[in-house]
Amino acid sequence: MVKIKKLCSTIAAVGVVAVGLGTYAQAATYKGYSTTVPIFNDYESSPLKKATTGSAYNDVSRIDNDKLVSWVENSSGSNVTSKVSYTSTGTKIMDYSSASTQKGKDLHLNISTSVGTISSVYTKGEWTPN
């Protein structure tokens, strides 16, 4: 009887761990980018599907000599996050106005030069809509 209880406890523990790992695996999908952002247009990434109701993240690993602005748009081109301006590397958080309504949808990152920028800007990083 003791062996059956131990076996049941082990099976239950393995089940909890498996469910936890399944949830973790769905967390965030990052997509890399490496681009020169032109002065008068913006860079638009390929779409990623939003899997959670959290904020979007742009992890900038390189920015050359100027100021950029990033935000997330939906497939019809409407802005769905706040715009974030930056001049240095690091993680930029873009908050959704209504994250739960975007879950499961294809979204893309936009990056543009800031007002007053007089040349194209090279940047590199990775982003997630989650």
Side-chain angles (χ1 to χ4, degrees):
M1 190 61 155
V2 173
K3 288 183 180 182
I4 291 174
K5 285 183 181 179
K6 283 185 178 181
L7 178 62
C8 289
S9 296
T10 302
I11 290 171
V14 168
V16 168
V17 169
V19 168
L21 288 175
T23 302
Y24 177 75
Q26 292 180 359
T29 301
Y30 279 83
K31 173 104 174 137
Y33 62 86
S34 176
T35 189
T36 299
V37 182
I39 303 167
F40 298 112
N41 292 319
D42 57 335
Y43 162 78
E44 189 173 288
S45 74
S46 56
L48 284 176
K49 192 170 295 297
K50 182 166 178 54
T52 71
T53 57
S55 297
Y57 297 91
N58 181 11
D59 189 13
V60 182
S61 58
R62 181 173 169 181
I63 178 173
D64 287 354
N65 303 324
D66 232 315
K67 186 174 188 178
L68 293 174
V69 179
S70 66
W71 68 97
V72 176
E73 289 183 352
N74 61 20
S75 58
S76 62
S78 297
N79 297 0
V80 294
T81 66
S82 56
K83 290 187 175 185
V84 177
S85 298
Y86 52 96
T87 58
S88 62
T89 59
T91 301
K92 315 308 174 194
I93 301 171
M94 298 163 288
D95 292 320
Y96 288 88
S97 53
S98 181
S100 61
T101 62
Q102 301 304 321
K103 185 176 178 183
K105 295 186 178 175
D106 285 334
L107 304 172
H108 56 265
L109 176 70
N110 277 58
I111 304 174
S112 71
T113 56
S114 188
V115 174
T117 300
I118 58 172
S119 63
S120 298
V121 179
Y122 177 77
T123 187
K124 181 178 180 180
E126 59 182 7
W127 80 285
T128 182
N130 298 324

